Amino acid sequence: NTKKPFRYTSGILSPIYCDNRLIMSYPKVREKIVDAYIKIIKEKVGLRNVEVVSGTAMAAIPQTAWVADHLKIPMVFVRPSKKEHGKENKVEGTFKKGAKVLIIEDHISTGGSTIDNLNAVKTMGGKVKYAIATTTYEMESAKKAFSENKLKVFTLTTITDILKTAVKLGFLKEKEVELVKSWTKDTVDGEIKWVM
């Protein structure tokens, strides 16, 4: 929506929104997503490097649960902030100190929630080198954050593929594609530099 932008958790405004939560409502699509995650884990990350999976709440929790179930390994999830009641946990679930933890995201925009997940897991003694996400906007702020934290990130698809598909299906016009592309390049470190 180039007329009425979406506001993300990070505070930035966006002309595009990928709702990967819809995946859980479509079993055949869900199965393809999980199969793709497992293929990346086996071929690029290595099964020996994944002892626990950590999902970023809330949207990545379903994908994380499906992957954990498929691999028969423990799962945790990381909240954006500590609970204000009960145990006041930021990380739900547990794992042994020194465990190799793979972060699972549904989508990456600025990369902030991925790094928050990484830091929370490290605070509990987990080792994090890899993350997987369904989609990414390929923003410079995310690339910078991942590089600084020595995090190798794999995604199933990118903004480039999303835009091509959106045009093909009639959701976007070519001039809107250029607008979205310029937005992904201009939004760095959470600053809103792009004006609609």
Side-chain angles (χ1 to χ4, degrees):
N1 191 333
T2 56
K3 305 266 191 295
K4 187 179 176 186
F6 304 94
R7 185 171 295 280
Y8 291 168
T9 305
S10 61
I12 64 172
L13 294 171
S14 169
I16 189 168
Y17 186 87
C18 286
D19 191 355
N20 291 335
R21 293 169 187 85
L22 292 171
I23 292 166
M24 63 185 160
S25 299
Y26 298 91
K28 288 181 181 176
V29 175
R30 187 170 73 207
E31 190 176 355
K32 284 183 181 180
I33 297 288
V34 174
D35 287 348
Y37 271 63
I38 299 303
K39 184 175 182 185
I40 288 173
I41 291 168
K42 287 179 177 177
E43 296 178 5
K44 297 184 178 179
V45 175
L47 287 170
R48 68 187 180 286
N49 294 315
V50 184
E51 297 171 328
V52 179
V53 283
S54 177
T56 302
M58 290 293 293
I61 292 175
Q63 285 96 318
T64 308
W66 303 326
V67 170
D69 185 59
H70 190 282
L71 295 177
K72 307 300 178 205
I73 60 174
M75 167 196 163
V76 297
F77 72 83
V78 177
R79 298 174 178 276
S81 58
K82 284 184 178 182
K83 272 200 316 186
E84 294 182 9
H85 59 282
K87 293 182 180 179
E88 300 180 356
N89 292 340
K90 182 168 174 71
V91 179
E92 296 292 354
T94 189
F95 54 83
K96 293 178 183 176
K97 283 188 178 178
K100 297 171 184 174
V101 182
L102 170 71
I103 292 173
I104 295 183
E105 281 280 8
D106 71 311
H107 174 74
I108 295 170
S109 52
T110 64
S113 62
T114 309
I115 299 305
D116 185 54
N117 189 324
L118 176 144
N119 290 331
V121 166
K122 283 188 170 181
T123 298
M124 286 184 63
K127 294 180 180 177
V128 184
K129 291 185 179 178
Y130 302 97
I132 300 179
T134 306
T135 52
T136 178
Y137 288 157
E138 302 176 287
M139 291 181 140
E140 289 305 317
S141 56
K143 292 174 189 174
K144 181 181 173 189
F146 300 153
S147 176
E148 288 171 354
N149 287 275
K150 296 180 175 66
L151 184 67
K152 180 74 176 168
V153 180
F154 300 99
T155 61
L156 304 188
T157 193
T158 66
I159 188 66
T160 304
D161 295 323
I162 291 166
L163 293 174
K164 281 180 188 172
T165 304
V167 169
K168 188 177 177 182
L169 296 176
F171 290 117
L172 286 177
K173 295 175 182 159
E174 286 294 345
K175 64 178 183 178
E176 292 173 314
V177 167
E178 292 310 311
L179 197 65
V180 174
K181 282 182 181 176
S182 69
W183 170 77
T184 63
K185 288 179 177 54
D186 290 345
T187 309
V188 179
D189 295 329
E191 288 182 40
I192 304 165
K193 295 182 178 179
W194 176 73
V195 181
M196 286 180 275

